[in-house]
Amino acid sequence: MVDNRDARADALLADTRRREAGGRLTVFLGAAPGVGKTYAMLSRARELHATGVDVVVGLVETHGRADTAALLDGLQQLPRRQITYQGRTLDDLDVDAVLARRPALVLVDELAHRNVPGSRHERRWQDVVDLLDAGIDVCTTVNIQHLESLNDVVHRITGVRVTETVPDALFDRLRDIRLVDLPPAELIERLKAGKVYLPDQATRALQAFFSPSNLAALRELAMQTAADRVDADLRGSQAARGLPGFALRRTVLVAIDGLGTSDYLVRAGRRIAERRDAPWRVVTVDAGGRSDAPRQLELDQAFALARSLGAETDVLHGSRIADALLEHAERIGASTIVVGRTRERPFARMVNRTLTQRLLQQGARHELVIIGTPDARAKARRRRRIGEAAFGARDIGLPVVATALAIGFGWLAQRVAGLDDLSMVFIVAVVVVAAQARMAAAMTTAVLCFVSYNFFFIEPRFTFQIGAHRGVVTVVLFLAAALVAGRLAARLREQVLALRAANTHATGLQALGRQLAGAADLGEVVAAGRNALARALDAEAWLRIGDVDAAAQWPDGLDPAAVDWTRRHGQPAGRFTDTLSASRWWLLPLRAGSETLGVAALRFPESRTRLGLEQHRLAQAMADDIAQAALRTRLVADLEGARVSNETERLRSALLSSVSHDLRSPLASMIGSASSLVGYGDTMDATDRRALLDTIVLEGERLDRYIQNLLDMTRLGHEGLVLNRDWIGVDELVGAAVGRLRRYQPGIVVDSDVPARLAPLWVHPALVEQALFNVLENAAKFSPPGAPVRLVAREVDDALRIDISDRGPGIPDDERARIFDMFYSVERGDRGRKGTGLGLTICQGMIGAHGGAVEALRGPDGHGTLIRITLPRQRPPSDSPDAD
């Protein structure tokens, strides 16, 4: 009851927070473009407007569709914000205008859209969050492929990686989700009719994204998402009202017990879930008692089968199996519970009910499916015989010893202390046995104590007769008390064992998780998994994932054929199994989905003849976690390889583009000038010939600078840059760099501020001059005509700081670090400005070789860009000639 009140309070609090969070969101969800989301949103807006709701249109894209545009009539449309970008004027949502107008409801189309650079936010969904925070309700549209959590799923379906995504957390503010559905055939007809894209675009779309199979899969995904959201809202609403949860998606929960029907139940549950198109889970309940090897093996095999068929698996803990199942069903929202048939027992209503009886009585809100197998009764009889044979010497000897000790202690207490009522002595014996052994042993002790108490201490003694009515009552009450005490003590013991097992399981997985979290590659995953398995299971462990294993040599007694069999079949082998059971090693496959990534092998002491259920389950869970970590590292390595490959291809393309432009342009000028001199040199005057010769020299020097940049970049990349340091004045360095710049750009104005008191530098003069020249050339390239480039040199904390600033368009904050990447300027499209994209990269390498740094900052007064070069003051060694 307390848990129910807490859950209701949490649900009410969550609902209150959602209501107080500001505006509420209504999403019109579609499977693909063209299904009619915008049309449906405008139709709903007109209905609300007709009822008096203050509705305004913030931004709606009609895409030239006349029927959609007609729905805008009668609705107030706020003007869009005009933004100039790369010489073009674009319009976008004016968030400030919506906030100033403060309507009750605003329409914002295309939630996942990327805003025009220069807008308040990068993504439109961020604008919507601002509007919601201001208390304004928002209606918007989005396609299923734009949800962040479904990005990988959509990629697998369509082969297209969607980059414009919306975080799922935004859906927590939903007031309503409306699924706008259209059959794939009708959507394709609309596409062919030109109602979605232009004809040439429609043809390409039909061949790629808009294939019938893709549309059918996306449609199913949209329906599932909408159903999940409605299901979650319903469960939260029911919990807030103190009502039991009700699942709309009809999750199927299959309960197995390892008593001979587990595989059959798993397959039957799979068929039920498949017919209902519902998710399903397979669980077992650990009540804390001891588990024998056959039951444990059957559970493991059933769980492996369930996972291979697409189910999720879990082990529940609790002394009351029915309560644990019903509680789990409530938590996951399951509507159907599948169990095996249990045998009805005589006098079932007088003693503990069977599982099916308890579920029928307590699970009225769930559909209960009871499945029996043709050979279930025969298997149950065999199970009973095995259980009777397992009632061994300890379960018989402990009750006998406890009863004998109770008789002896009672005799001493009666003779020495004069005690007459000795019933509590025998009850203590029953409780002690119940705390140490199974329920059967506790019941045996209770019967033996009852008989012994009657025989030795109830008058007339040494007979089973009872002389007085009071004695009869005493003996009967003693038996009842002993049975109850034994039952309670045994149940408490089971709960303690269950909690201890759960704690061991959680601790082992937590320790493994900590080690795997820090594993950066496959070798570290193997080492961490081996250490964790050895500590948690107190066994020798060996792992191999791919070609990586955790031992310098092959372990003694481990059969390579068994390892290969486990890897190929994805099934356990070796000790404790029916496959290659003569092996001293127990082999577990490391599976990730349907793929076996490797094998884990464990060798336990020879004295251990079987594994407990919890140890078996812990080993399997740890193997699954290791497999997932290995898969993660492999995916990371694949992504890194793809990134390097893409980066290499990008640099190759940029280099080819740069070379084709920056070699061809000066060569074309040189060839043209030389051809003119050869063909018309005799008819030209001296001035024209001189101009052509100057062009050849200038373009040749430009070509030489470009080739030198490529050579410098190669030397920097291979750490082949050698510093030949010498003393040079700061003014001399700056003057040389500015002089070179004026040779190539005579009209440039450089405003230098270099105090004469600055001490000389001990650097490689040519490299530092080249670095200064590259920065000055870059600043001159982006400065407006006639605007000066300013250079300021100052001494700061035993270092020389040179600031070079321009009055150009500046660089966005998030792109400043990228200007030092190779060929960045080529990507920025400045090849018309004769940029190679190598100058600042080379500058950073040359200054870095001197122990300095280069950084890009916002220009003075927020205009332009400022490149700051910092060179530390260094001095030659004392034995160097330059030390003087």
Side-chain angles (χ1 to χ4, degrees):
M1 183 63 70
V2 174
D3 293 340
N4 186 47
R5 290 199 300 267
D6 291 343
R8 181 181 179 185
D10 292 341
L12 283 171
L13 182 60
D15 186 66
T16 302
R17 286 175 177 171
R18 285 195 299 268
R19 294 178 183 277
E20 295 177 353
R24 300 298 298 276
L25 182 66
T26 299
V27 171
F28 290 80
L29 178 67
V35 297
K37 301 181 299 297
T38 304
Y39 190 94
M41 180 178 68
L42 288 173
S43 299
R44 177 58 179 166
R46 293 177 66 87
E47 293 175 2
L48 295 174
H49 181 67
T51 62
V53 177
D54 183 15
V55 181
V56 301
V57 178
L59 186 145
V60 167
E61 300 289 353
T62 63
H63 299 289
R65 301 166 190 157
D67 52 349
T68 303
L71 294 176
L72 290 170
D73 294 340
L75 298 177
Q76 180 185 357
Q77 301 183 50
L78 296 179
R80 301 185 183 184
R81 182 184 178 192
Q82 304 295 315
I83 302 174
T84 302
Y85 178 67
Q86 294 184 345
R88 293 187 301 167
T89 300
L90 305 173
D91 54 36
D92 210 335
L93 174 66
D94 193 340
V95 179
D96 294 326
V98 178
L99 293 174
R101 171 66 171 74
R102 294 193 65 82
L105 175 65
V106 61
L107 309 184
V108 181
D109 208 1
E110 298 181 359
L111 181 63
H113 180 73
R114 187 187 299 272
N115 289 336
V116 178
S119 302
R120 172 186 291 206
H121 296 297
E122 180 183 2
R123 302 296 180 91
R124 186 166 293 166
W125 66 262
Q126 295 172 305
D127 297 335
V128 169
V129 170
D130 285 352
L131 299 177
L132 294 173
D133 290 340
I136 301 174
D137 291 349
V138 178
C139 279
T140 188
T141 63
V142 70
N143 289 321
I144 191 64
Q145 66 264 28
H146 294 296
L147 264 67
E148 178 66 38
S149 63
L150 300 177
N151 192 259
D152 292 336
V153 178
V154 173
H155 181 254
R156 287 197 299 269
I157 293 173
T158 65
V160 177
R161 176 69 68 180
V162 178
T163 58
E164 295 180 338
T165 58
V166 177
D168 292 57
L170 184 61
F171 277 44
D172 292 339
R173 307 185 70 164
L174 276 178
R175 166 184 288 168
D176 190 15
I177 183 169
R178 294 176 175 246
L179 180 63
V180 183
D181 185 40
L182 196 65
E186 293 187 24
L187 180 56
I188 291 174
E189 289 299 324
R190 284 174 53 85
L191 195 67
K192 292 179 179 179
K195 297 181 179 180
V196 180
Y197 294 131
L198 296 176
D200 56 338
Q201 294 176 321
T203 302
R204 291 194 299 270
L206 285 170
Q207 296 172 352
F209 192 84
F210 280 78
S211 67
S213 60
N214 286 354
L215 292 178
L218 292 174
R219 186 187 186 200
E220 175 67 20
L221 201 59
M223 292 179 177
Q224 291 179 2
T225 301
D228 286 341
R229 177 58 54 178
V230 174
D231 195 14
D233 289 344
L234 177 60
R235 287 203 301 269
S237 175
Q238 295 287 89
R241 296 165 57 193
L243 300 176
F246 179 77
L248 294 181
R249 293 203 61 201
R250 304 180 67 184
T251 301
V252 176
L253 180 65
V254 181
I256 60 177
D257 56 9
L259 299 180
T261 61
S262 300
D263 286 356
Y264 187 86
L265 286 175
V266 168
R267 294 188 178 94
R270 172 72 178 102
R271 291 193 297 270
I272 293 172
E274 187 175 18
R275 286 195 299 267
R276 302 179 181 185
D277 192 23
W280 63 300
R281 297 191 181 193
V282 178
V283 300
T284 187
V285 180
D286 182 3
R290 295 179 180 177
S291 174
D292 50 41
R295 176 173 181 265
Q296 171 188 307
L297 180 60
E298 180 181 332
L299 288 174
D300 290 340
Q301 292 174 344
F303 275 166
L305 174 63
R307 286 191 291 267
S308 68
L309 294 176
E312 298 181 26
T313 61
D314 200 2
V315 176
L316 311 179
H317 294 275
S319 58
R320 298 178 181 272
I321 298 177
D323 293 344
L325 287 176
L326 292 173
E327 180 182 351
H328 188 68
E330 292 283 354
R331 186 163 60 250
I332 67 172
S335 62
T336 302
I337 301 177
V338 179
V339 296
R341 182 179 179 181
T342 55
R343 183 173 61 89
E344 298 294 336
R345 296 175 296 181
F347 312 109
R349 296 186 179 274
M350 299 175 59
V351 294
N352 291 329
R353 296 175 181 271
T354 64
L355 174 62
T356 52
Q357 289 173 331
R358 288 180 176 273
L359 291 175
L360 287 170
Q361 181 183 27
Q362 302 175 24
R365 297 182 300 273
H366 300 84
E367 177 186 3
L368 185 62
V369 179
I370 303 172
I371 297 177
T373 59
D375 56 346
R377 189 176 299 276
K379 288 185 177 181
R381 285 195 296 266
R382 288 197 301 269
R383 185 71 187 179
R384 285 198 302 273
R385 287 196 297 269
I386 293 174
E388 292 167 359
F391 192 76
R394 186 175 186 273
D395 295 318
I396 297 175
L398 189 59
V400 172
V401 171
T403 303
L405 290 175
I407 293 171
F409 188 81
W411 182 82
L412 289 175
Q414 192 176 56
R415 291 298 180 89
V416 177
L419 296 178
D420 291 329
D421 189 0
L422 301 176
S423 59
M424 294 305 299
V425 174
F426 290 92
I427 289 179
V428 169
V430 174
V431 172
V432 169
V433 172
Q436 298 295 323
R438 297 188 298 181
M439 175 64 68
M443 296 298 101
T444 302
T445 306
V447 173
L448 288 177
C449 286
F450 164 73
V451 172
S452 301
Y453 182 45
N454 180 21
F455 187 81
F456 291 104
F457 299 101
I458 299 295
E459 296 293 342
R461 298 190 180 192
F462 308 115
T463 67
F464 293 105
Q465 296 180 359
I466 301 176
H469 294 293
R470 186 182 66 177
V472 175
V473 174
T474 300
V475 171
V476 172
L477 290 179
F478 166 78
L479 178 60
L483 291 173
V484 171
R487 173 69 174 174
L488 293 177
R491 180 175 295 176
L492 179 61
R493 174 180 176 272
E494 292 175 354
Q495 293 176 350
V496 170
L497 290 177
L499 291 174
R500 185 181 301 166
N503 180 67
T504 301
H505 185 91
T507 303
L509 291 181
Q510 185 180 20
L512 175 63
R514 283 197 301 266
Q515 296 187 46
L516 292 179
D521 55 32
L522 196 57
E524 294 183 6
V525 169
V526 170
R530 174 181 175 274
N531 295 334
L533 282 171
R535 282 197 302 269
L537 299 171
D538 192 22
E540 182 181 350
W542 175 88
L543 265 76
R544 166 166 286 186
I545 302 177
D547 296 329
V548 180
D549 58 45
Q553 59 184 3
W554 193 266
D556 181 42
L558 181 58
D559 187 0
V563 174
D564 183 66
W565 189 93
T566 300
R567 181 187 58 80
R568 287 187 292 106
H569 292 85
Q571 296 292 332
R575 193 177 178 187
F576 310 128
T577 71
D578 295 330
T579 304
L580 304 174
S581 57
S583 174
R584 291 181 293 172
W585 292 79
W586 178 37
L587 288 83
L588 290 174
L590 303 178
R591 296 176 58 87
S594 59
E595 180 182 4
T596 301
L597 303 179
V599 176
L602 296 165
R603 183 165 67 178
F604 296 92
E606 296 296 334
S607 58
R608 186 177 299 183
T609 59
R610 65 183 184 89
L611 284 180
L613 176 62
E614 281 303 322
Q615 281 191 315
H616 198 282
R617 192 171 66 89
L618 176 59
Q620 187 62 61
M622 295 180 74
D624 291 342
D625 286 353
I626 293 170
Q628 292 299 323
L631 182 62
R632 170 181 58 83
T633 58
R634 191 177 71 177
L635 292 177
V636 169
D638 292 345
L639 290 174
E640 180 64 18
R643 188 193 67 80
V644 171
S645 177
N646 292 337
E647 183 69 12
T648 302
E649 180 62 24
R650 185 185 69 83
L651 292 177
R652 186 188 70 83
S653 300
L655 176 62
L656 291 176
S657 177
S658 177
V659 168
S660 65
H661 177 271
D662 291 286
L663 286 181
R664 182 181 298 171
S665 297
L667 282 175
S669 298
M670 295 166 64
I671 292 172
S673 298
S675 299
S676 298
L677 286 173
V678 171
Y680 307 102
D682 296 338
T683 60
M684 294 182 180
D685 56 20
T687 302
D688 292 337
R689 285 197 299 272
R690 181 65 183 177
L692 291 175
L693 290 172
D694 288 343
T695 299
I696 293 174
V697 172
L698 185 65
E699 294 298 331
E701 290 177 342
R702 175 185 166 196
L703 184 59
D704 179 70
R705 291 200 312 275
Y706 178 69
I707 295 174
Q708 186 61 43
N709 278 343
L710 290 176
L711 293 176
D712 289 341
M713 198 66 249
T714 303
R715 291 163 61 198
L716 288 172
H718 290 82
E719 300 182 356
L721 199 60
V722 179
L723 298 183
N724 297 317
R725 294 180 181 267
D726 199 358
W727 291 104
I728 187 171
V730 178
D731 54 349
E732 184 179 353
L733 270 175
V734 173
V738 173
R740 283 181 61 192
L741 180 65
R742 285 175 175 159
R743 286 182 56 197
Y744 305 123
Q745 300 188 38
I748 193 65
V749 178
V750 179
D751 183 7
S752 300
D753 181 4
V754 183
R757 66 179 183 277
L758 291 178
L761 292 168
W762 190 59
V763 295
H764 189 139
L767 293 182
V768 177
E769 178 191 331
Q770 181 66 40
L772 288 175
F773 173 79
N774 288 349
V775 177
L776 287 169
E777 184 183 37
N778 192 73
K781 180 171 55 179
F782 289 100
S783 291
V789 174
R790 182 164 178 76
L791 186 150
V792 179
R794 293 289 185 271
E795 192 83 22
V796 179
D797 297 333
D798 199 29
L800 177 67
R801 189 175 73 189
I802 302 175
D803 291 344
I804 301 174
S805 58
D806 60 59
R807 308 292 292 179
I811 304 173
D813 294 343
D814 57 344
E815 297 186 20
R816 287 202 187 100
R818 293 187 58 205
I819 67 171
F820 299 104
D821 294 345
M822 285 190 295
F823 307 112
Y824 175 75
S825 61
V826 173
E827 292 180 347
R828 297 279 296 175
D830 67 330
R831 283 173 288 175
R833 296 177 179 266
K834 304 179 182 179
T836 65
L838 291 173
L840 291 180
T841 309
I842 294 171
C843 171
Q844 187 182 52
M846 290 177 171
I847 298 301
H850 287 81
V854 184
E855 56 182 330
L857 305 171
R858 189 185 297 273
D861 303 326
H863 299 289
T865 302
L866 185 147
I867 303 296
R868 173 167 292 168
I869 300 175
T870 304
L871 279 168
R873 290 285 187 182
Q874 298 185 9
R875 292 170 178 78
S878 57
D879 57 349
S880 173
D882 295 324
D884 300 336

